[in-house]
Amino acid sequence: MSDHEAGRVRRFWEELGLPGLVDVHTHFMPERVLRKVWAYFDALGPLTGGVEWPITYRQEEDERAGLLRAFGVRAFTAMLYPHKPGMAQWLNDWAVDFARRTPDCLHTSTLFPEPGVEAYVRRAVEDGARVFKAHVQVGAYDPADALLDPAWGVLAEAGVPVVVHCGSGPAPGKHTGPEPIARVLARHPRLRLVVAHMGMPEYEDFLDLAERYGQVRLDTTMAFTDFSERLAPFPHRALPRLAGLGDRVLLGTDFPNIPYPYLHQLHALERLGLGEAWLRGVCHDNAARLFGLPGVG
């Protein structure tokens, strides 16, 4: 990354009168796990839809965190996720240490449908977890699995947001799409669900859920970018609905696992033409309010 790139990102939010950015969808995880994720992207596996996906920010952990700070990201997350039983608790233990040594990272935890999930989710909340991540596509599980029901209840009661990859992009899974997560919301309507990637490609179905449930939010991760518009374009007819949900749309990027520069996500939001007030909310204020960060009017 050049100083020029960081300067352009900073100018973007400075011109909006913001104190910085809040990015609710960034990935930090144990290095050997992250490198396996990168290898999967490099191999064009089925979970990437077989699409060429060069990783733009393939640096070491400290340098990646430094890049976000250089961009002016005030708070970010460590979106980690298991793909098998017995893995979530180990990831959560790692995340406690990462949050301790990375104070601008919102302490992130995860979960998996397995015996004991309620106990370790409750423990993570007690240990200060600020946000959870669930990946229905990679984990290949039904989010409405009875094993998870008590854990969703814990998160709903505690008011801890959970970012869920539940849409069918970039490739559908057995339990992706709006119906499985809708069953979770029917049982736990107060759950602070953040739909990753705007629910791509079932955008309008997930807009329906956000309009039905007042605690459902959408993150912008990879949506509206040139990369995603070629594969799963956002329907122009739905832009007024997106504008109407402006206080529940949150900036997410998928950093570092993105095939384009960080700034492109911001420009993709700007070119929607929904106005500066909408952009200010999405890029900072909505998430700052959700997580109780200072600097929101």
Side-chain angles (χ1 to χ4, degrees):
M1 183 204 74
S2 66
D3 291 341
H4 177 66
E5 181 186 5
R8 292 180 68 200
V9 173
R10 297 182 75 90
R11 277 196 300 276
F12 178 89
W13 53 260
E14 286 170 352
E15 289 173 1
L16 289 171
L18 292 173
L21 303 170
V22 180
D23 191 337
V24 303
H25 196 135
T26 64
H27 291 283
F28 290 87
M29 54 187 71
E31 285 296 291
R32 62 189 178 96
V33 176
L34 184 60
R35 294 191 186 284
K36 287 181 179 179
V37 171
W38 288 348
Y40 195 95
F41 281 109
D42 291 343
L44 305 183
L47 295 184
T48 68
V51 176
E52 187 174 348
W53 198 305
I55 304 296
T56 300
Y57 299 100
R58 202 185 294 252
Q59 288 97 340
E60 296 299 317
E61 180 183 282
D62 287 348
E63 188 175 356
R64 293 195 309 274
L67 286 174
L68 289 174
R69 295 179 187 122
F71 292 154
V73 179
R74 299 181 61 209
F76 51 92
T77 59
M79 295 280 104
L80 30 66
Y81 45 87
H83 61 271
K84 60 184 178 180
M87 188 176 179
Q89 182 61 69
W90 172 69
L91 289 172
N92 289 349
D93 290 344
W94 177 89
V96 169
D97 180 65
F98 182 74
R100 187 177 296 123
R101 55 192 165 87
T102 316
D104 41 356
C105 178
L106 298 166
H107 178 177
T108 311
S109 292
T110 190
L111 74 172
F112 195 84
E114 57 190 335
V117 59
E118 178 186 8
Y120 69 67
V121 165
R122 190 179 298 280
R123 185 161 58 251
V125 170
E126 292 170 352
D127 287 344
R130 306 279 298 280
V131 61
F132 272 68
K133 166 70 172 182
H135 206 312
V136 172
Q137 182 200 41
V138 170
Y141 60 81
D142 184 347
D145 189 309
L147 282 167
L148 283 173
D149 199 57
W152 295 132
V154 169
L155 294 175
E157 182 181 355
V160 175
V162 54
V163 177
V164 183
H165 185 133
C166 45
S168 299
K174 184 178 180 181
H175 301 289
T176 59
E179 194 276 332
I181 201 68
R183 286 188 279 124
V184 174
L185 289 168
R187 296 177 199 160
H188 304 283
R190 294 187 299 118
L191 182 66
R192 290 184 168 182
L193 174 72
V194 181
V195 177
H197 303 277
M198 300 289 301
M200 183 187 311
E202 296 105 338
Y203 300 109
E204 290 177 283
D205 292 323
F206 285 102
L207 286 171
D208 289 344
L209 286 180
E211 289 167 347
R212 191 181 316 159
Y213 295 99
Q215 291 297 338
V216 171
R217 293 162 174 84
L218 306 160
D219 88 28
T220 67
T221 303
M222 297 193 73
F224 319 112
T225 64
D226 293 348
F227 181 86
S228 294
E229 285 292 289
R230 287 193 299 270
L231 302 172
F234 186 87
H236 189 267
R237 65 178 176 268
L239 283 176
R241 299 176 69 190
L242 187 62
L245 289 166
D247 62 340
R248 287 191 279 133
V249 181
L250 313 175
L251 174 66
T253 64
D254 239 350
F255 175 94
N257 306 334
I258 47 177
Y260 43 74
Y262 191 92
L263 183 65
H264 179 56
Q265 178 74 77
L266 304 177
H267 283 166
L269 297 172
E270 182 179 44
R271 70 188 182 190
L272 293 175
L274 298 181
E276 289 193 357
W278 185 86
L279 272 179
R280 282 193 290 270
V282 171
C283 292
H284 179 272
D285 292 351
N286 297 340
R289 197 172 292 114
L290 177 64
F291 291 105
L293 304 178
V296 183

